[in-house]
Amino acid sequence: MARTATSLLPDGLVAVQPLRQKRCARCRRGPLSLVVLEDGAPHCLHCADLGHLVFLPRGDTALTRRAREESALWAVVVRFNRRRSRYERQGLLVEEAALVRAEARCLADAEARRRRRARDARRRVVEDERFAAAFAAEILRLFPGCPEERARAIAGHASARGSGRVGRSPAGRALSEGAVISAVVAAVRHVDTAYDELLMRGVPRFEARRRIAATVESVVRGWGEAAEAG
């Protein structure tokens, strides 16, 4: 037997944000922004004895959890998603006093969370600086002819946190030779050749790379010659 929309509702007390205008089956109040289904019929919050509750939208996980803990009576608020054929949570109905207490608890540790975020941010900056320095050192080991300032610029670009570039890959984090060489080649391609200009003119990427391959090879070989001479 096919499941009806009503059968898809979560367990417990549930209030629904209706997709179409509804009136209360008991008091005829409407249109209603929230309804409680009893025996398949829509009822307003007042007739369902939930009229004293206030709506807390989803989004703040800590506040939602604490409001639910503080509230002796609460209900999940859902809305039906036709495309996904399921009800999705929109928030909670909780006692107003419980919400006030939950907000106070969140404010009490907000400063601690802010300080922890600041410490974490400072730690990440130090870690990123150390890694970029190590990446630059590896560039200079493999390509001693590369100017130090250029090596630092390549390392900083390749290892930027959240960039998705080669320096943030597992191989890049391990300072593998292949990842370092890839970062250098990419930097030379964009800075020392007409590659970007070719792309802007509509030249296909693989064709643009073919045209500038000799220039890239020349620059990279030149930077590595000091290693061969040593």
Side-chain angles (χ1 to χ4, degrees):
M1 181 181 294
R3 299 177 68 189
T4 64
T6 302
S7 70
L8 297 173
L9 286 169
D11 295 331
L13 289 176
V14 178
V16 179
Q17 293 179 343
L19 300 180
R20 293 179 295 181
Q21 291 188 351
K22 299 283 186 179
R23 289 187 174 275
C24 179
R26 181 177 301 171
C27 70
R28 305 308 300 167
R29 181 182 302 169
L32 302 173
S33 59
L34 287 172
V35 301
V36 176
L37 298 176
E38 296 180 350
D39 297 325
H43 290 72
C44 68
L45 296 184
H46 292 283
C47 291
D49 292 330
L50 300 178
H52 62 295
L53 303 183
V54 295
F55 178 55
L56 172 61
R58 60 180 298 184
D60 189 324
T61 303
L63 181 59
T64 296
R65 173 174 52 80
R66 288 171 171 170
R68 187 172 58 240
E69 293 170 351
E70 293 283 351
S71 191
L73 180 66
W74 55 272
V76 175
V77 175
V78 299
R79 181 170 59 214
F80 191 71
N81 186 320
R82 286 199 180 102
R83 182 171 61 85
R84 297 181 177 179
S85 298
R86 70 185 187 191
Y87 281 98
E88 297 179 341
R89 296 194 176 209
Q90 306 301 311
L92 291 179
L93 289 173
V94 296
E95 296 167 337
E96 186 170 5
L99 179 56
V100 171
R101 290 193 296 270
E103 289 172 337
R105 289 173 60 187
C106 288
L107 287 174
D109 64 6
E111 179 63 18
R113 291 199 303 272
R114 186 192 66 78
R115 292 180 181 179
R116 183 167 58 250
R117 287 195 298 267
R119 287 196 302 271
D120 291 344
R122 289 193 295 269
R123 174 181 52 77
R124 287 193 294 268
V125 168
V126 172
E127 290 175 350
D128 289 350
E129 289 176 347
R130 289 175 178 170
F131 176 64
F135 202 97
E138 189 63 11
I139 290 174
L140 292 173
R141 185 185 72 81
L142 295 173
F143 302 97
C146 177
E148 289 190 17
E149 182 177 343
R150 186 70 185 280
R152 288 194 296 269
I154 294 172
H157 180 78
S159 63
R161 185 180 291 270
S163 65
R165 300 184 187 116
V166 66
R168 303 307 301 190
S169 68
R173 299 294 293 176
L175 296 178
S176 75
E177 186 171 306
V180 174
I181 292 174
S182 293
V184 171
V185 169
V188 171
R189 183 186 300 128
H190 288 286
V191 176
D192 300 286
T193 75
Y195 180 66
D196 291 354
E197 180 183 346
L198 291 173
L199 294 181
M200 289 298 296
R201 283 162 44 192
V203 177
R205 179 165 57 92
F206 291 109
E207 172 62 19
R209 288 195 176 194
R210 187 192 66 77
R211 293 186 190 182
I212 54 89
T215 303
V216 172
E217 183 179 356
S218 175
V219 173
V220 172
R221 185 189 306 114
W223 286 355
E225 283 179 352
E228 297 175 2

mmCIF file of all heavy atoms in Angstrom, residues 16 27 32 85 106 168 191 205-206 220:
data_model
loop_
_atom_site.group_PDB
_atom_site.id
_atom_site.type_symbol
_atom_site.label_atom_id
_atom_site.label_comp_id
_atom_site.label_asym_id
_atom_site.label_seq_id
_atom_site.Cartn_x
_atom_site.Cartn_y
_atom_site.Cartn_z
ATOM 1 N N VAL A 16 2.429 21.309 11.308
ATOM 2 C CA VAL A 16 2.742 21.334 9.883
ATOM 3 C C VAL A 16 2.543 22.738 9.316
ATOM 4 O O VAL A 16 1.534 23.393 9.603
ATOM 5 C CB VAL A 16 1.846 20.330 9.113
ATOM 6 C CG1 VAL A 16 2.158 20.367 7.621
ATOM 7 C CG2 VAL A 16 2.009 18.929 9.675
ATOM 8 N N CYS A 27 -12.606 25.451 15.175
ATOM 9 C CA CYS A 27 -13.044 26.835 15.383
ATOM 10 C C CYS A 27 -13.194 27.614 14.081
ATOM 11 O O CYS A 27 -13.619 28.766 14.101
ATOM 12 C CB CYS A 27 -12.078 27.548 16.322
ATOM 13 S SG CYS A 27 -10.437 27.867 15.580
ATOM 14 N N LEU A 32 -4.326 29.360 8.260
ATOM 15 C CA LEU A 32 -3.395 29.049 9.337
ATOM 16 C C LEU A 32 -1.977 28.876 8.793
ATOM 17 O O LEU A 32 -1.755 28.253 7.761
ATOM 18 C CB LEU A 32 -3.823 27.756 10.033
ATOM 19 C CG LEU A 32 -5.227 27.738 10.626
ATOM 20 C CD1 LEU A 32 -5.562 26.339 11.122
ATOM 21 C CD2 LEU A 32 -5.331 28.760 11.761
ATOM 22 N N SER A 85 9.197 14.328 -1.825
ATOM 23 C CA SER A 85 8.120 13.482 -1.273
ATOM 24 C C SER A 85 8.374 13.129 0.184
ATOM 25 O O SER A 85 8.283 11.955 0.587
ATOM 26 C CB SER A 85 7.965 12.196 -2.108
ATOM 27 O OG SER A 85 7.593 12.509 -3.427
ATOM 28 N N CYS A 106 23.025 29.889 26.074
ATOM 29 C CA CYS A 106 23.881 30.082 24.905
ATOM 30 C C CYS A 106 24.744 31.324 25.044
ATOM 31 O O CYS A 106 25.924 31.320 24.674
ATOM 32 C CB CYS A 106 23.030 30.160 23.633
ATOM 33 S SG CYS A 106 22.304 28.571 23.129
ATOM 34 N N ARG A 168 47.096 21.444 -0.937
ATOM 35 C CA ARG A 168 46.179 20.975 0.102
ATOM 36 C C ARG A 168 45.797 19.515 -0.086
ATOM 37 O O ARG A 168 45.075 18.952 0.744
ATOM 38 C CB ARG A 168 44.908 21.833 0.120
ATOM 39 C CG ARG A 168 45.134 23.313 0.309
ATOM 40 C CD ARG A 168 45.966 23.653 1.511
ATOM 41 N NE ARG A 168 45.411 23.197 2.772
ATOM 42 C CZ ARG A 168 45.875 23.559 3.963
ATOM 43 N NH1 ARG A 168 46.921 24.368 4.043
ATOM 44 N NH2 ARG A 168 45.323 23.095 5.065
ATOM 45 N N VAL A 191 51.969 32.440 -14.948
ATOM 46 C CA VAL A 191 52.700 33.700 -14.753
ATOM 47 C C VAL A 191 53.692 33.988 -15.882
ATOM 48 O O VAL A 191 53.856 35.135 -16.289
ATOM 49 C CB VAL A 191 53.444 33.686 -13.392
ATOM 50 C CG1 VAL A 191 54.296 34.938 -13.218
ATOM 51 C CG2 VAL A 191 52.447 33.549 -12.248
ATOM 52 N N ARG A 205 41.618 24.571 -23.743
ATOM 53 C CA ARG A 205 42.640 24.428 -22.705
ATOM 54 C C ARG A 205 43.804 23.539 -23.156
ATOM 55 O O ARG A 205 44.972 23.902 -22.976
ATOM 56 C CB ARG A 205 42.000 23.871 -21.433
ATOM 57 C CG ARG A 205 42.964 23.664 -20.283
ATOM 58 C CD ARG A 205 42.207 23.459 -18.982
ATOM 59 N NE ARG A 205 41.281 22.325 -19.072
ATOM 60 C CZ ARG A 205 41.623 21.075 -18.710
ATOM 61 N NH1 ARG A 205 42.845 20.828 -18.258
ATOM 62 N NH2 ARG A 205 40.756 20.099 -18.784
ATOM 63 N N PHE A 206 43.501 22.385 -23.731
ATOM 64 C CA PHE A 206 44.579 21.470 -24.117
ATOM 65 C C PHE A 206 45.437 22.056 -25.246
ATOM 66 O O PHE A 206 46.653 21.864 -25.276
ATOM 67 C CB PHE A 206 44.003 20.114 -24.519
ATOM 68 C CG PHE A 206 43.424 19.356 -23.355
ATOM 69 C CD1 PHE A 206 42.054 19.190 -23.233
ATOM 70 C CD2 PHE A 206 44.252 18.839 -22.368
ATOM 71 C CE1 PHE A 206 41.518 18.500 -22.156
ATOM 72 C CE2 PHE A 206 43.727 18.151 -21.284
ATOM 73 C CZ PHE A 206 42.358 17.985 -21.166
ATOM 74 N N VAL A 220 61.182 25.841 -16.259
ATOM 75 C CA VAL A 220 61.365 24.832 -15.228
ATOM 76 C C VAL A 220 62.753 24.206 -15.319
ATOM 77 O O VAL A 220 63.413 23.980 -14.280
ATOM 78 C CB VAL A 220 60.279 23.743 -15.353
ATOM 79 C CG1 VAL A 220 60.564 22.572 -14.393
ATOM 80 C CG2 VAL A 220 58.894 24.341 -15.035
#
